Amino acid sequence: RYLVALSTIPLLLFLTFSRYLPESPMYLAVTGKKREVQEILDNIAKMNEKRRVHGNLVLDEETTAGQRGQFLDLFRKGQARLSVMVFFLWFVAAFSYYGVVLLSTELLNSSHDTCAASGAS
């Protein structure tokens, strides 16, 4: 039980601090948020103690919500195979990790005071 509770700590930390992570400049540029892109690039330059990039940021076109990708785009021709593979790998990784975590409590705690991993009494 304690091991399962401890394994949730990284997720809780991520959920707590994810609101403070900035969006990527690429995502903001694709969604047409020019001002936010410029602010993040300025912050990056400031953090790296470099001069601000001179010039104007030019986006190809303003993107509307209708032009953005949809969930079903993941399964269109050319993307379906990759999408299925990524979903499968995430599924396998998640179940493998939590399977090992949950199974380790059974392997390491025997009702006969025997460690199943080593066979010692």
Side-chain angles (χ1 to χ4, degrees):
R1 213 176 333 169
Y2 298 114
L3 188 57
V4 174
L6 287 174
S7 70
T8 62
I9 290 175
L11 175 63
L12 294 175
L13 287 172
F14 174 76
L15 291 175
T16 302
F17 294 109
S18 65
R19 77 170 84 177
Y20 302 108
L21 294 173
E23 288 289 350
S24 73
M26 178 64 81
Y27 170 78
L28 293 171
V30 168
T31 57
K33 299 178 180 176
K34 184 176 178 177
R35 184 181 56 79
E36 289 92 342
V37 172
Q38 194 62 53
E39 288 175 5
I40 289 180
L41 292 177
D42 291 344
N43 286 338
I44 291 171
K46 183 178 176 183
M47 287 173 52
N48 290 314
E49 298 175 356
K50 301 290 181 184
R51 290 185 300 145
R52 179 177 178 254
V53 177
H54 294 289
N56 291 328
L57 180 64
V58 177
L59 302 179
D60 287 339
E61 61 185 55
E62 292 294 319
T63 305
T64 63
Q67 294 171 323
R68 291 179 55 198
Q70 304 295 323
F71 179 75
L72 291 178
D73 291 342
L74 294 173
F75 300 101
R76 301 219 190 285
K77 186 175 182 174
Q79 296 296 323
R81 183 174 176 209
L82 178 63
S83 296
V84 169
M85 286 177 18
V86 169
F87 289 148
F88 177 75
L89 289 174
W90 271 100
F91 180 81
V92 168
F95 274 86
S96 298
Y97 172 73
Y98 284 106
V100 168
V101 167
L102 295 172
L103 185 61
S104 66
T105 59
E106 293 295 321
L107 291 175
L108 299 176
N109 292 323
S110 173
S111 61
H112 301 290
D113 293 330
T114 301
C115 179
S118 67
S121 295

